[in-house]
Amino acid sequence: MNKSLKSKLSRYAVPILFIIIIAVGLWIAKPPLGYVTSEIGKRMVRNTFLVLSLIIPIVAGMGINFGIPLGAMSGQIGLIFAQDWGITGPAGILVAVLIGTPIAILLGKFSGHILNRARGREMITSMMLAFFMLGVYMLFLLYLCGSVVPMHNASIILSKGYGIKNSITLDTAHAIDNILLYRIQLPITEKHMINFDVPVVTILLIALLCVFIVWFKKTKIGHDMKAVGMDQVISANAGIHSDKVRVQSIVVSTVLACYGQIIYLQNIGTLATYAGQDQAALYAAASILVGGASVMRASIPNAIIGTMLFHLMFIILPQAGRILTGDAMMGEYFRTFISYGVVTLALIMHAYNRMKQAEAARHQDRLENTEVSKEST
């Protein structure tokens, strides 16, 4: 096997593995085509924006930003206040954005400065930071809302008179999706039709984010992020303030995660107040890695393809597990195992590649030193 083919197989090992798993699941479950296409369409619209929010920090050399739950919390706080004030529809989404954005910017700056102090360990630090901020988030919603911060909507307050309920049915449900919604019907057979609900505005927002990422990479700050991501020493010698650029990348990612969580929740229609943000980082990270991205390189196609493959697994494996074992929960357990396994495998491969690169660099240094010593003698 030549080195080029071996390198490509190593780089795309995760997506290849997922395609095999999905193909086997399809062969076992044989789900209706209409069901699969309808479900994958819903999940793509719901999750893609959040996955795309991971690209900018990877460009800046920060790795996978497991701190995007900070942005998700910001969006959820915005939605809670919109719900409390009784603002529904697109206006409620706008209020959530206006409240969530400054919170996300502040949390992004805080996170970026912390990660600069944990250089080289950004991913695990961002994960621990998300757990820390979850405690602050819960303190605010459980004890301050209704006691210190006035709340007016009794339907979202706990019976003790303060604290937000664990689950809220959002008045802003499908507020973005329903602005311009088209239903497409495709006949499969004479008796069967595939129905697609196409939320045009939501898809346009995802497309605008893709355009923004492409444009952003071409700006001066985008070029600075690429330079910092490739080599911080060289970029510093070129006059780029690497710490500032790294903080900016985390701020952009956190704000985009705030918007992504708002899009996700309005599509779901309900808010799990204290657990809704927990899986945001894990599922988004797993999705982008499944698409062939690494902790050093990511693109828009990686995010879109990865989201599709990852959520195809969500749709197919429970059915395959039910057919194989008679218990759909086996598919759920396997799905959870795969979710964590993908992230673990990608991080192990990253560590292995970094070790090989360091070993190759040391070998090259030894050769150069040997040549210099021979020339001097």
Side-chain angles (χ1 to χ4, degrees):
M1 184 182 296
N2 59 49
K3 289 185 178 180
S4 176
L5 180 59
K6 187 176 180 181
S7 174
K8 287 183 179 179
L9 286 176
S10 175
R11 179 180 173 188
Y12 295 108
V14 176
I16 290 170
L17 176 63
F18 251 71
I19 290 170
I20 293 171
I21 291 171
I22 290 168
V24 172
L26 284 169
W27 178 68
I28 294 170
K30 297 181 176 61
L33 178 62
Y35 170 76
V36 173
T37 52
S38 175
E39 282 297 309
I40 195 61
K42 291 176 186 176
R43 290 175 178 271
M44 289 288 291
V45 168
R46 186 183 299 163
N47 293 278
T48 304
F49 200 103
L50 202 54
V51 178
L52 288 167
S53 70
L54 292 172
I55 292 178
I56 301 282
I58 294 175
V59 171
M62 303 287 281
I64 302 292
N65 180 20
F66 287 101
I68 60 171
L70 276 65
M73 293 173 200
S74 305
Q76 290 178 185
I77 289 172
L79 286 171
I80 288 169
F81 277 103
Q83 184 88 1
D84 179 58
W85 297 339
I87 305 173
T88 62
I93 296 295
L94 180 59
V95 168
V97 167
L98 292 175
I99 293 173
T101 300
I103 299 173
I105 292 172
L106 290 174
L107 291 178
K109 287 185 176 181
F110 170 69
S111 177
H113 287 299
I114 295 293
L115 297 182
N116 277 338
R117 293 177 176 272
R119 203 178 299 270
R121 300 179 297 278
E122 291 92 348
M123 287 186 287
I124 186 64
T125 304
S126 63
M127 187 179 292
M128 294 301 104
L129 188 60
F131 289 133
F132 165 72
M133 288 308 301
L134 177 60
V136 178
Y137 169 80
M138 287 184 172
L139 174 68
F140 175 73
L141 293 183
L142 274 174
Y143 295 102
L144 299 183
C145 286
S147 58
V148 177
V149 180
M151 305 297 287
H152 308 93
N153 189 342
S155 66
I156 67 172
I157 300 294
L158 294 170
S159 58
K160 58 187 177 182
Y162 62 90
I164 305 299
K165 287 183 178 178
N166 187 55
S167 181
I168 300 172
T169 300
L170 295 173
D171 292 337
T172 50
H174 305 289
I176 301 175
D177 296 340
N178 289 339
I179 293 175
L180 190 57
L181 188 67
Y182 279 119
R183 169 157 288 191
I184 299 175
Q185 293 183 329
L186 296 177
I188 301 177
T189 64
E190 292 181 359
K191 297 182 178 179
H192 295 87
M193 303 280 290
I194 298 178
N195 295 319
F196 290 96
D197 285 331
V198 182
V200 177
V201 174
T202 311
I203 293 172
L204 283 176
L205 289 174
I206 294 169
L208 282 173
L209 178 56
C210 293
V211 172
F212 169 77
I213 291 172
V214 172
W215 168 81
F216 187 82
K217 287 182 178 180
K218 295 179 180 179
T219 62
K220 182 183 182 302
I221 186 173
H223 287 299
D224 289 349
M225 286 182 184
K226 287 181 190 176
V228 170
M230 290 186 340
D231 194 309
Q232 293 184 41
V233 175
I234 294 176
S235 61
N237 292 336
I240 299 172
H241 195 314
S242 62
D243 283 359
K244 182 180 178 181
V245 168
R246 284 159 58 90
V247 170
Q248 289 170 339
S249 72
I250 295 297
V251 170
V252 172
S253 177
T254 307
V255 172
L256 291 178
C258 169
Y259 301 157
Q261 187 72 354
I262 291 172
I263 290 172
Y264 174 86
L265 290 173
Q266 65 85 35
N267 184 272
I268 292 284
T270 58
L271 167 61
T273 309
Y274 304 105
Q277 75 289 334
D278 282 354
Q279 301 299 332
L282 174 65
Y283 287 170
S287 295
I288 200 167
L289 292 171
V290 164
S294 70
V295 296
M296 299 295 292
R297 181 188 304 170
S299 65
I300 293 171
N302 292 146
I304 294 173
I305 293 170
T307 304
M308 182 180 69
L309 290 176
F310 186 72
H311 288 280
L312 268 174
M313 180 192 70
F314 269 57
I315 298 165
I316 293 163
L317 288 190
Q319 297 186 37
R322 179 177 53 80
I323 291 171
L324 287 175
T325 65
D327 184 2
M329 285 306 296
M330 289 302 295
E332 293 287 341
Y333 296 144
F334 186 61
R335 183 177 74 181
T336 303
F337 165 75
I338 291 292
S339 302
Y340 287 95
V342 165
V343 178
T344 304
L345 176 62
L347 296 179
I348 289 172
M349 290 175 64
H350 169 65
Y352 175 72
N353 291 332
R354 288 287 294 270
M355 185 176 66
K356 284 185 66 177
Q357 290 172 4
E359 185 179 343
R362 286 194 297 268
H363 180 67
Q364 184 65 28
D365 288 341
R366 283 197 297 269
L367 289 177
E368 291 177 357
N369 292 334
T370 302
E371 291 178 359
V372 170
S373 61
K374 285 180 179 180
E375 291 175 359
S376 61
T377 55

